Amino acid sequence: MKKRLLAGLMCLCLLVGLLPATALAAGVTDCPGGDGCNHEAAIGNTHYDTLKEAMNAATLDSTVQLLRDVEKQYVVTAKCYNVTVDLNGFNITTTEGAALKFDGQGDLPEEGVLYFKVINTQPEKGGVLLGKTTAVNITAKTDCPLLIGDGVTLESSKEGSNLVEVKGAAYLPYNMTNEFYINKSESAVSYLVNAKDGEQRIYGVYSNAVKAAEDNTATLIYDYQGGARVDVEDTQGILDLGGHTYTYSSNNAIVYSTKDNGSITIKNGTMITTNNKSDGIDMLGSNTSVRLEKVDMTVSGGTYGIVTNGNKSNNAITLKNSTLNVPDGYGIYFPSSGSVAIEDSVINAKYSGVQMCSGNLTVKGDKTAITTTGEPQPKTEDDGAIADGAAISVINRSYPGGSPTMSITGGTFSSENADAVKAYTFSNTDKTEGEWEDAKESVSISGGTFSTEPDASYLKDGYSAKDMGNGTYKVGQFTDYTITFKTTLANAVVSVINKTTNATVTPNADGSYTLNTAYTYEYTVSASGYVSKSGTATAPGESTVTLEREAS
């Protein structure tokens, strides 16, 4: 019998040990209150030994009221919506994390709005939330605001830290006070949106911000430094950097999407990676698009500036009036079907500026400049970019997206150690380049300046590449024009300079100058005993130059 009783007690102990802490933290309903009460918090008439027990017991529409000052070494969390914490004239101080945390999960109210609240019904005293890293941390799965009442003071013992950390779909209604709570540090990202209900809100997560925005625009409020990436997911949004700098320190990508149908336009600012393993933008689903307008992006590692997935389809990349710097890696690698458009933009990379293995590439704009500095490297893996050193390479690799195409109508293209533009086939079996015999059907160059002479088969019919005499080749439709300088002085010497290239033009035997196109040229006419005269002339045409004698 004793053995049975002992066994029963042991089982009971084991069962009690398996119960959650909240099941053991029963409140007291018969506390008289006043000086004889040693409890830290109450929900209605139920008193709890600790604030943590009260917060764990909180349910939808509960009010947790402090009964004394609380000093703790842990974070207390309310894990439901519509919880109000009444400081009741007392303070909360913690030596770890946030003084309070709200984690919106579980049931939603049948009617009304969601909220987290912190109030102080005794505003003439107390009301201080002093956290170690922040005062209040909020997160939610559904849009939910943090409402902070009068008489509440937020403080952090960590100098320069934000007083509210906003995550998930939780947000702060925008006002001057709430902006003050999140403007202390660059280590937390904050987005301002004009919500569909007309309210201005501050979010901490891009995807939640654009979902709530009336115009699908999330505006970065301050410079940011940290490991929070911009997750596009399946949203269609605009990230307005607002002239600020977004510095990313983690090892994934600043902008990231693995889902289909996501699109993002990024404009007006700077984005930087400081982790050598990080890409700039990964768009790894189908039917995705990314557009950069007036953006400077720098990717520090030997990685990708922008990359898509070769097993996906119908993706789009656009750079307009932007700069993409990947000094140790690849600018744009595009193995999927879809399109890449570069207009008046700059790409600086090491191994490849733009590499198309499927899809359609269009490049235009006199301000466009694509430069590579690295030497070609042997290919060892089956997939991934080829380090061919070209500013632009168009490669037929028999990828699912089909053969790539290219159209260049303007810009400057330079490679320090390879052809500026290459079009070829590539065998994944023996890792070798091959001649793309019908490349002319897929590539077209009708403008631009190149560090090496483009293959004649790449040029649009009727266009040619001219050696500019300065190590570059210019593609265009060239016609010879003539300028003739007339002077009555037999000993006159005429010097003509092409203003576009600063190159000296050699005279013909009859004293005329044959020029490549109808540009404006600088000239100087000089003769012994006469004052030299300089000016400009446009071909074709004649210029009569009269020199005056030097003063005796």
Side-chain angles (χ1 to χ4, degrees):
M1 183 68 179
K2 290 181 179 179
K3 291 182 178 180
R4 291 180 181 177
L5 180 60
L6 181 60
L9 289 172
M10 291 177 66
C11 289
L12 180 60
C13 290
L14 289 171
L15 289 172
V16 171
L18 293 174
L19 289 173
T22 52
L24 299 175
V28 175
T29 58
D30 57 356
C31 179
D35 294 338
C37 175
N38 292 318
H39 301 107
E40 287 186 353
I43 299 177
N45 294 324
T46 303
H47 289 208
Y48 294 86
D49 288 338
T50 67
L51 174 61
K52 182 177 182 179
E53 292 173 356
M55 294 286 275
N56 286 340
T59 57
L60 200 66
D61 297 323
S62 292
T63 296
V64 177
Q65 187 179 62
L66 260 65
L67 302 176
R68 62 176 57 250
D69 289 337
V70 175
E71 295 184 4
K72 55 189 179 63
Q73 297 178 333
Y74 48 82
V75 178
V76 293
T77 305
K79 296 185 178 180
C80 59
Y81 292 99
N82 292 23
V83 173
T84 300
V85 175
D86 179 7
L87 298 178
N88 193 31
F90 297 104
N91 306 317
I92 301 175
T93 302
T94 181
T95 57
E96 293 294 332
L100 279 180
K101 182 176 180 179
F102 294 93
D103 185 357
Q105 53 183 278
D107 296 334
L108 301 176
E110 293 183 2
E111 297 181 359
V113 296
L114 300 178
Y115 60 83
F116 304 126
K117 287 184 183 179
V118 182
I119 63 174
N120 182 14
T121 53
Q122 302 291 328
E124 69 279 359
K125 62 177 182 177
V128 177
L129 293 177
L130 174 57
K132 173 66 179 297
T133 57
T134 187
V136 184
N137 181 299
I138 57 173
T139 185
K141 295 181 179 179
T142 303
D143 283 352
C144 183
L146 171 65
L147 307 176
I148 302 173
D150 295 335
V152 176
T153 301
L154 306 187
E155 297 180 357
S156 171
S157 58
K158 182 180 179 181
E159 185 177 355
S161 64
N162 285 351
L163 300 178
V164 177
E165 288 186 355
V166 185
K167 300 180 179 179
Y171 67 89
L172 277 172
Y174 179 79
N175 55 52
M176 296 301 293
T177 300
N178 285 345
E179 182 181 358
F180 171 79
Y181 293 147
I182 54 93
N183 72 352
K184 300 295 185 182
S185 171
E186 295 182 3
S187 63
V189 62
S190 300
Y191 301 103
L192 179 65
V193 305
N194 296 311
K196 297 172 183 176
D197 61 1
E199 180 183 40
Q200 285 193 306
R201 301 176 181 178
I202 300 169
Y203 284 85
V205 176
Y206 167 79
S207 58
N208 294 109
V210 296
K211 287 176 183 177
E214 174 67 29
D215 55 359
N216 298 325
T217 299
T219 301
L220 191 67
I221 305 177
Y222 303 105
D223 288 349
Y224 170 69
Q225 295 183 29
R229 71 189 184 195
V230 178
D231 282 320
V232 178
E233 298 183 347
D234 55 356
T235 61
Q236 292 80 46
I238 299 170
L239 170 55
D240 188 344
L241 297 172
H244 297 294
T245 298
Y246 194 112
T247 303
Y248 179 71
S249 59
S250 193
N251 61 359
N252 204 300
I254 308 178
V255 180
Y256 189 79
S257 177
T258 59
K259 294 187 177 181
D260 296 341
N261 305 313
S263 69
I264 183 170
T265 294
I266 307 171
K267 61 183 184 179
N268 304 328
T270 302
M271 304 190 89
I272 300 170
T273 69
T274 58
N275 190 310
N276 289 339
K277 296 181 180 179
S278 172
D279 292 334
I281 301 175
D282 289 357
M283 301 295 286
L284 306 179
S286 291
N287 304 311
T288 68
S289 69
V290 58
R291 181 182 181 91
L292 303 185
E293 292 186 17
K294 298 181 180 179
V295 172
D296 288 343
M297 177 177 285
T298 298
V299 179
S300 62
T303 54
Y304 297 112
I306 307 175
V307 62
T308 62
N309 186 334
N311 292 318
K312 302 298 181 176
S313 59
N314 195 33
N315 298 302
I317 296 171
T318 301
L319 269 63
K320 186 172 182 179
N321 298 316
S322 295
T323 298
L324 177 62
N325 294 311
V326 196
D328 292 317
Y330 303 83
I332 296 175
Y333 176 56
F334 198 85
S336 63
S337 67
S339 63
V340 176
I342 312 294
E343 181 178 355
D344 286 327
S345 294
V346 175
I347 299 175
N348 298 308
K350 186 172 184 178
Y351 297 118
S352 175
V354 179
Q355 188 164 110
M356 304 291 295
C357 296
S358 286
N360 308 313
L361 171 65
T362 59
V363 184
K364 63 182 180 179
D366 292 339
K367 296 179 182 178
T368 292
I370 302 178
T371 303
T372 51
T373 59
E375 295 184 358
Q377 302 293 313
K379 181 69 174 169
T380 56
E381 306 87 3
D382 288 343
D383 291 320
I386 299 169
D388 57 22
I392 294 180
S393 51
V394 185
I395 311 170
N396 186 353
R397 301 175 73 174
S398 301
Y399 273 9
S403 300
T405 67
M406 175 193 75
S407 172
I408 298 174
T409 59
T412 302
F413 310 91
S414 177
S415 171
E416 290 187 7
N417 299 288
D419 290 340
V421 177
K422 295 182 66 173
Y424 59 94
T425 63
F426 187 82
S427 170
N428 286 332
T429 303
D430 56 14
K431 311 295 186 297
T432 56
E433 297 181 8
E435 182 182 357
W436 188 355
E437 295 182 354
D438 54 353
K440 187 173 181 60
E441 299 178 7
S442 299
V443 299
S444 172
I445 301 176
S446 57
T449 301
F450 303 81
S451 61
T452 58
E453 184 176 6
D455 189 290
S457 65
Y458 303 167
L459 305 181
K460 184 176 180 179
D461 289 343
Y463 287 76
S464 60
K466 290 288 187 181
D467 186 344
M468 304 305 293
N470 61 353
T472 65
Y473 295 82
K474 188 175 182 64
V475 172
Q477 289 180 303
F478 296 101
T479 303
D480 287 344
Y481 294 97
T482 300
I483 289 179
T484 302
F485 289 89
K486 292 184 177 181
T487 177
T488 58
L489 301 173
N491 63 341
V493 176
V494 182
S495 173
V496 179
I497 304 293
N498 184 330
K499 291 186 65 174
T500 304
T501 64
N502 293 321
T504 300
V505 181
T506 303
N508 301 319
D510 61 359
S512 65
Y513 293 77
T514 301
L515 310 170
N516 285 331
T517 189
Y519 289 141
T520 298
Y521 293 80
E522 296 177 342
Y523 68 82
T524 298
V525 180
S526 60
S528 178
Y530 291 83
V531 178
S532 298
K533 189 171 184 178
S534 298
T536 59
T538 302
E542 293 184 352
S543 291
T544 300
V545 180
T546 302
L547 300 183
E548 296 180 359
R549 285 188 174 276
E550 294 178 345
S552 58

